[in-house]
Amino acid sequence: DGGITQSPKYLFRKEGQNVTLSCEQNLNHDAMYWYRQDPGQGLRLIYYSQIVNDFQKGDIAEGYSVSREKKESFPLTVTSAQKNPTAFYLCASRIQGAQNTEAFFGQGTRLTVV
Amino acid sequence: GQSLEQPSEVTAVEGAIVQINCTYQTSGFYGLSWYQQHDGGAPTFLSYNALDGLEETGRFSSFLSRSDSYGYLLLQELQMKDSASYFCAVRGGATNKLIFGTGTLLAVQP
């Protein structure tokens, strides 16, 4: 079955540590996205990528980094520079250039700083 | 830049009809989409409007007015399982940047 997978589902981080969230898709989608969601809030765009080896900052990129070495994978690193990293992180993918903006989401990673 | 505004909460009773509005600002416009998210879950796609007018998909319909930069999601014959957050989204400009609204929490009461 095609889909998009995020791991781990829950992640605990000590202050000052970097952590990497995994996102893998087998939908053959070119475009991939990372969003942050805080309790009762909307989805805020962190980074997005339209093609392998290319990515752009979203609205809240500070303290985060990404890579896109393979079409299927778009990992997100939450660095120690991110002052308030506790949140629900969602990865999504969609067909490049399609008029329809349908995006497919992973089940999310809930990150907690302890 | 791009921004989308929605009401934060809406309450309705089972069997009723509810409308969730969305106003947007974007430098380029490639259509308005709607997503549903149950608490703690992943957002799922509901509908898409590229042109003005009403699109119907079962109990859900979505409307777009490009001249007013406005759209809405209409939910009919509400069921308890429709209690969720609803987000509008736009893909703006010449890129694949996909921006979501602030979200509307719908509470369906018996």
Side-chain angles (χ1 to χ4, degrees):
Chain A
D1 284 341
I4 181 165
T5 303
Q6 290 186 242
S7 61
K9 188 172 182 179
Y10 298 95
L11 186 58
F12 296 88
R13 187 195 96 171
K14 292 182 178 179
E15 287 195 32
Q17 283 183 337
N18 293 356
V19 289
T20 298
L21 283 59
S22 170
C23 179
E24 304 277 334
Q25 54 97 1
N26 59 4
L27 300 166
N28 201 33
H29 288 170
D30 285 300
M32 296 188 73
Y33 305 82
W34 274 105
Y35 294 91
R36 170 182 173 139
Q37 187 173 35
D38 293 285
Q41 303 297 313
L43 283 69
R44 293 187 290 168
L45 182 64
I46 305 172
Y47 269 97
Y48 65 106
S49 169
Q50 301 181 80
I51 197 169
V52 173
N53 292 323
D54 184 62
F55 46 84
Q56 287 82 39
K57 293 182 179 179
D59 299 321
I60 55 165
E62 185 174 352
Y64 300 98
S65 66
V66 293
S67 63
R68 187 83 188 277
E69 297 176 0
K70 298 186 302 181
K71 187 175 186 178
E72 301 79 17
S73 179
F74 191 41
L76 174 74
T77 297
V78 185
T79 75
S80 57
Q82 171 49 239
K83 298 306 178 188
N84 185 21
T86 295
F88 187 47
Y89 291 87
L90 286 159
C91 180
S93 70
R94 57 180 294 277
I95 297 172
Q96 166 85 339
Q99 286 291 322
N100 189 330
T101 57
E102 178 175 5
F104 295 83
F105 282 83
Q107 291 302 307
T109 293
R110 196 167 297 278
L111 173 64
T112 304
V113 173
V114 296
Chain B
Q2 295 140 302
S3 66
L4 300 95
E5 294 293 327
Q6 305 175 231
S8 58
E9 293 184 23
V10 174
T11 302
V13 297
E14 268 189 301
I17 299 173
V18 72
Q19 179 175 312
I20 298 173
N21 299 320
C22 173
T23 57
Y24 60 86
Q25 289 185 323
T26 179
S27 56
F29 182 74
Y30 293 89
L32 184 71
S33 293
W34 289 91
Y35 289 77
Q36 178 191 62
Q37 184 185 32
H38 285 99
D39 191 29
T44 55
F45 175 82
L46 291 176
S47 68
Y48 169 74
N49 294 71
L51 302 175
D52 291 352
L54 192 69
E55 294 283 343
E56 298 183 59
T57 308
R59 294 188 297 114
F60 294 0
S61 302
S62 56
F63 172 83
L64 175 65
S65 169
R66 289 174 295 171
S67 60
D68 296 321
S69 297
Y70 164 76
Y72 66 73
L73 181 69
L74 191 73
L75 297 85
Q76 303 181 70
E77 302 172 18
L78 281 174
Q79 302 174 9
M80 297 297 291
K81 68 178 181 180
D82 296 329
S83 293
S85 291
Y86 293 84
F87 297 89
C88 54
V90 293
R91 179 170 72 90
T95 71
N96 279 289
K97 190 175 183 181
L98 183 59
I99 299 298
F100 284 77
T102 51
T104 299
L105 181 62
L106 170 63
V108 180
Q109 297 178 339

